[in-house]
């Protein structure tokens, strides 16, 4: 019976990794990737990779080219079936995507697409609701990403989010990610599907992967062209494989360059500010000052660079929890690499105040615009001049005063513009722009609150501060941090000073109330209050010793000198990647808002509220040979429905193909229900009730 039973574990001699994966391992190893990175990408353990390409390179590696050729032969035997009902040519050489040339208000959306279009994957499945064939291919290692296959449906939830797909394609995310990451290994939910899933999640306010448990996977999968959306563990595994490449920073830089090429007119003013994410876990990480809570606590700092319209352009995760002045050299290097040689004015708050930094920035070709820090002489109110103007369609009125100032002992000459507020407060602004009007300088400075509003919006709507990765990384051992022993002494010194102040107050009160006819001399007073005097002298000696002990300790120490209590930092790669996709979702909303503005009078006040209703709206999906038609339900009011209809008309002009297919996206909105005063049985009632009277969607 023991011989007939099946032993535990894998059968001896059975290959644990398929032949196609062996070729991929050899290719990745040739690129210099570590065993851990290769294991992440393939979804296996590091031990399995080490057994194959460890120190001893024997027969197993010699057979890798043969195994690769065999796998390629197997793939060539599979028939190439279209990802939709459209007859598709060879998937290895897709036709270039060419936009429709017509006059659209958004010229960026009708520019030529990438030279390397999104490839159309093969599929063995005919039924869109049953993808067992493609899942079997992915299990065998023969599929890198599932082909989107759509089917007709009515009232598909969240269909309005597909309105942002043209902006995702126009951002270049899929093309850049395909070049940087290549893929995440054989999988049903590949690179394109993972990125598209995260993008739609952000638009539908699914703020973290765990919230996918609250969604119907089949309904969400219909937006992706799949039978069901990926589960939480699948999405987390894909993020881990992408994070193993450590390419999030390069991805963000490439996306920013594409954004600059499309919106170069808005790059003259760049707003830089740091966003502090508080940490409440059990790890010991560096502290940072959280302004909205008015205290220092464990946190990490991300620096955001926004354009003139307030939209995010670049995200830089701080390596150190340093001040803005110390982070500026690296930030300026990233800005210069992104915007090129164009003249840029950097706008920031008082956290970056440093005259030496200003001098360095001017030498590098940057202009500055910031608030003045510190005390300065107030200007008499009769010297302020009222200024009126209209900037970007807004009427602006300020009471301003202008004068030149010199810093660094006269080496740095800047322009100071002071605004007088209604309550008498004076706000002083420094800039190196002498060519702008004073009212425009003040307007650009006060528009920095757009960035603060962006942080608030992202925290509430996109859960920007949420932890995506619970892993930690060791800190730089050469970095200096505040001495923890000195911090403990500071706490004791504060307690000793508080106690000394109370004792001195009691001693002074006793001296003031001393009855001189009983104790006319100081000697008698000291004898009468001998216990209080001893406590006062002991507390003074304790405070003196604590101060001497603190002077003997260095203010900062190296992390490597802390031993086991050394600090760690939160892993940043997965967080950076997900924040980039949320940033793209916000940019897509802003682009949709720009298209809505001519057709919605209150777009500035209620534009994003309209998008909050439009993006999660349900709609009908209809599939033809060449088009994927999305017909959304009417919105809450007729004027909003008309604005959405105009938006759909503009998006149709982009001739965008859904990623991974040859299907052109077509958008429409059902007309609002006509509500009249006709009574039942009247000719007007029969006309409005007849189906032929309703305009076609």
């Amino acid at each position: 019976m023991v011989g007939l039973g099946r032993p535990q574990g894998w059968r001896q001699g059975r290959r644990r990794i398929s032949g196609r994966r062996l070729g991929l391992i050899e290719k990745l190893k040739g690129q210099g990737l570590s065993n851990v990175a290769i294991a992440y990408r393939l979804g296996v353990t590091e031990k399995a990779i080490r057994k194959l390409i460890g120190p001893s390179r024997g027969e197993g590696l010699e057979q890798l080219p043969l195994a690769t050729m065999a796998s390629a032969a197997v793939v060539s035997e599979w028939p190439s079936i279209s990802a939709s009902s459209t007859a598709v040519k060879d998937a290895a050489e897709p036709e270039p995507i060419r936009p429709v040339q017509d006059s659209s208000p958004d010229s960026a959306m009708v520019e030529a697409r990438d030279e390397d279009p999104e490839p159309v994957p093969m599929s063995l499945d005919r039924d869109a609701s049953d993808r067992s064939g493609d899942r079997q291919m992915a299990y065998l290692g023969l599929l890198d990403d599932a082909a989107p296959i759509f089917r007709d449906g009515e009232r598909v939830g969240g269909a309005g989010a597909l309105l942002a797909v043209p902006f995702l394609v126009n951002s270049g995310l899929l093309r850049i990610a395909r070049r940087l990451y290549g893929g995440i290994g054989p999988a049903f939910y590949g690179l394109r599907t993972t990125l598209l899933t995260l993008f739609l999640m952000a638009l539908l306010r699914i703020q973290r992967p765990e919230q996918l448990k609250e969604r119907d996977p089949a309904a969400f999968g219909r937006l992706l062209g799949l039978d069901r959306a990926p589960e939480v563990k699948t999405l987390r595994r894909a993020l881990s494989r992408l994070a193993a490449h450590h390419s999030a920073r390069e991805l963000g830089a490439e996306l920013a360059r594409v954004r600059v090429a499309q919106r170069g007119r808005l790059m003259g003013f760049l707003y830089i500010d740091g966003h502090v994410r508080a940490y409440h876990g059990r790890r010991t990480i560096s502290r940072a000052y959280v302004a909205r809570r008015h205290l220092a606590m464990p946190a990490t700092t991300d620096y955001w660079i926004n354009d003139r319209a307030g939209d995010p352009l670049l995200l830089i995760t701080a390596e150190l929890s340093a001040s803005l002045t110390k982070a500026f050299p690296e930030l300026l290097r990233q800005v210069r690499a992104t915007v090129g040689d164009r003249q840029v004015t950097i706008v920031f708050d008082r956290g970056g105040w440093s005259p030496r930094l200003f001098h360095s920035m001017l030498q590098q070709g940057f202009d500055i615009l910031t608030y003045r820090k510190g005390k300065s002489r107030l200007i008499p109110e009769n010297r302020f001049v009222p200024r009126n103007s209209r900037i970007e369609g807004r009427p602006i009125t300020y009471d301003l005063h202008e004068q030149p100032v010199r810093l660094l002992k006269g080496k740095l000459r800047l322009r100071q513009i002071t605004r007088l507020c209604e309550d008498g407060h004076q706000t002083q602004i420094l800039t190196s722009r002498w060519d702008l009007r004073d009212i425009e300088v003040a307007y650009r400075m006060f528009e920095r609150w757009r960035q603060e509003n962006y942080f608030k919006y992202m925290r509430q709507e996109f859960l920007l501060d949420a932890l995506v990765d619970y892993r930690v990384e060791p800190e730089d051992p050469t970095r200096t941090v505040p001495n923890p022993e000195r911090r403990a002494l500071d706490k004791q010194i504060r307690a000793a000073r508080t106690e000394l102040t109370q004792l001195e107050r009691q001693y002074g009160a006793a001296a003031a109330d001393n009855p001189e006819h009983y104790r006319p001399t100081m000697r008698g007073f000291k004898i009468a209050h001998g216990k209080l005097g001893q406590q006062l002298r002991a507390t003074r000696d304790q405070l003196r010793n604590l101060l001497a002990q603190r002077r003997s300790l260095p203010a900062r120490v190296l992390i490597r000198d802390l031993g086991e209590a050394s600090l760690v930092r939160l892993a940043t790669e997965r967080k950076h990647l997900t924040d980039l996709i949320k940033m793209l979702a916000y940019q897509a909303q802003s682009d949709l808002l720009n298209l809505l503005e001519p057709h919605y009078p209150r777009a500035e006040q209620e534009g994003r509220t309209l998008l909050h209703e439009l993006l999660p709206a349900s709609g009908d999906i209809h599939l033809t040979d060449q088009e994927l038609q999305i017909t959304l339900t009417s919105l809450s009011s007729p004027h909003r429905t008309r604005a959405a209809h105009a938006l759909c008309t503009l998006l149709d002009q982009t001739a965008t193909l859904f990623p991974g297919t040859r299907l052109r996206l077509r958008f429409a909105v059902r007309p609002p229900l006509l509500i009249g005063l006709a009574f039942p049985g009247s000719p007007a009632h029969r006309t409005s009730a007849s189906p032929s009277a309703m305009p076609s969607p």
Side-chain angles (χ1 to χ4, degrees), residues 219-274:
F220 189 26
R222 300 192 67 174
L223 302 179
L224 304 170
L226 304 176
D227 54 348
R228 59 185 292 119
E231 296 183 0
V232 177
K233 61 178 182 180
T234 304
L235 194 59
R236 284 192 170 277
R237 189 183 300 117
L239 285 174
S240 299
R241 293 180 181 177
L242 293 177
H245 291 76
H246 297 281
S247 301
R249 174 171 295 193
E250 187 176 356
L251 175 63
E254 292 290 340
L255 292 174
R257 294 189 186 99
V258 174
R259 190 74 172 174
V260 170
Q262 297 173 355
R263 296 161 57 96
R265 65 188 186 280
L266 299 177
M267 303 303 159
F269 291 86
L270 294 181
Y271 296 83
I272 297 181
D273 196 7

Side-chain angles (χ1 to χ4, degrees), residues 36-327:
V36 177
I38 297 175
Y40 265 122
R41 190 173 296 191
L42 297 181
V44 298
T45 61
E46 188 270 341
K47 183 178 180 181
I49 304 298
R50 187 172 65 251
K51 286 185 176 181
L52 289 174
I53 54 176
S56 58
R57 304 178 62 88
E59 297 182 4
L61 290 180
E62 294 177 359
Q63 296 177 358
L64 282 177
L66 180 61
T68 305
M69 293 175 60
S71 299
V74 172
V75 174
S76 63
E77 296 176 358
W78 289 96
S80 177
I81 301 177
S82 169
S84 65
S85 58
T86 307
V88 182
K89 298 181 180 180
D90 186 8
E93 298 179 357
E95 294 181 353
I97 304 174
R98 303 200 180 274
V100 176
Q101 299 295 336
D102 52 8
S103 58
S104 172
D106 191 4
S107 59
M109 296 298 296
V110 296
E111 293 178 354
R113 297 297 198 270
D114 306 324
E115 296 181 359
D116 184 16
E118 183 68 21
V120 178
M122 59 179 294
S123 175
L124 294 179
D125 293 322
R126 297 285 187 177
D127 186 3
S129 61
D130 183 10
R131 305 298 300 274
S132 57
D134 289 342
R135 293 184 183 276
Q136 184 66 22
M137 289 182 62
Y139 176 76
L140 297 175
L142 304 177
L143 185 67
D144 292 336
D145 204 344
I149 302 179
F150 292 91
R151 56 192 173 97
D152 294 347
E154 296 182 356
R155 297 193 175 275
V156 179
L162 298 179
L163 292 171
V165 171
F167 299 98
L168 173 67
V169 176
N170 195 55
S171 68
L173 172 65
L174 302 178
R175 170 181 57 86
I176 298 171
R178 193 167 64 250
R179 178 172 57 83
L180 293 178
Y181 296 101
I184 57 177
F188 183 80
Y189 302 103
L191 176 64
R192 171 184 44 77
T193 303
T194 300
L195 296 177
L196 186 58
T197 300
L198 293 172
F199 181 73
L200 294 180
M201 285 173 55
L203 293 173
L204 296 176
R205 299 303 187 267
I206 306 176
Q207 298 168 331
R208 60 174 71 197
E210 286 79 6
Q211 294 181 354
L212 285 175
K213 300 177 182 178
E214 305 171 5
R215 292 273 179 161
D216 182 8
F220 189 26
R222 300 192 67 174
L223 302 179
L224 304 170
L226 304 176
D227 54 348
R228 59 185 292 119
E231 296 183 0
V232 177
K233 61 178 182 180
T234 304
L235 194 59
R236 284 192 170 277
R237 189 183 300 117
L239 285 174
S240 299
R241 293 180 181 177
L242 293 177
H245 291 76
H246 297 281
S247 301
R249 174 171 295 193
E250 187 176 356
L251 175 63
E254 292 290 340
L255 292 174
R257 294 189 186 99
V258 174
R259 190 74 172 174
V260 170
Q262 297 173 355
R263 296 161 57 96
R265 65 188 186 280
L266 299 177
M267 303 303 159
F269 291 86
L270 294 181
Y271 296 83
I272 297 181
D273 196 7
H275 175 66
V276 181
R277 295 185 288 111
Y279 174 71
H280 304 280
R282 56 185 178 85
R283 302 285 186 175
T284 303
I285 67 173
S286 301
R287 289 175 172 265
Y289 181 74
V290 184
R292 60 182 179 273
R293 299 188 179 181
H294 303 286
L295 54 87
M297 58 187 305
T300 57
T301 305
D302 298 328
Y303 290 100
W304 289 82
I305 301 175
N306 296 45
D307 60 17
R308 190 183 69 187
D311 293 339
L313 174 66
L314 193 62
L315 166 63
I316 301 175
T317 301
E319 296 291 341
L320 311 176
S321 295
S323 61
L324 183 60
T325 55
K326 296 182 180 179

Side-chain angles (χ1 to χ4, degrees), residues 109 158-168 199-200 203 588 592 595-596 610-611 613-617 630 632 635 644-645 647-649 651-652 654 656 665-669:
M109 296 298 296
L162 298 179
L163 292 171
V165 171
F167 299 98
L168 173 67
F199 181 73
L200 294 180
L203 293 173
L592 287 171
L595 293 181
L596 271 176
L610 172 59
L611 293 179
E613 180 186 2
L614 181 60
L615 293 177
I630 311 296
L632 303 178
L635 302 185
H645 173 71
L647 177 63
C648 293
T649 303
L651 292 178
D652 285 345
T654 63
T656 302
L665 286 171
R666 287 285 191 179
F667 300 101
V669 181

Side-chain angles (χ1 to χ4, degrees), residues 58 83 193 327 395 443 539 600:
T193 303
Y443 173 78
T539 304
Y600 194 62

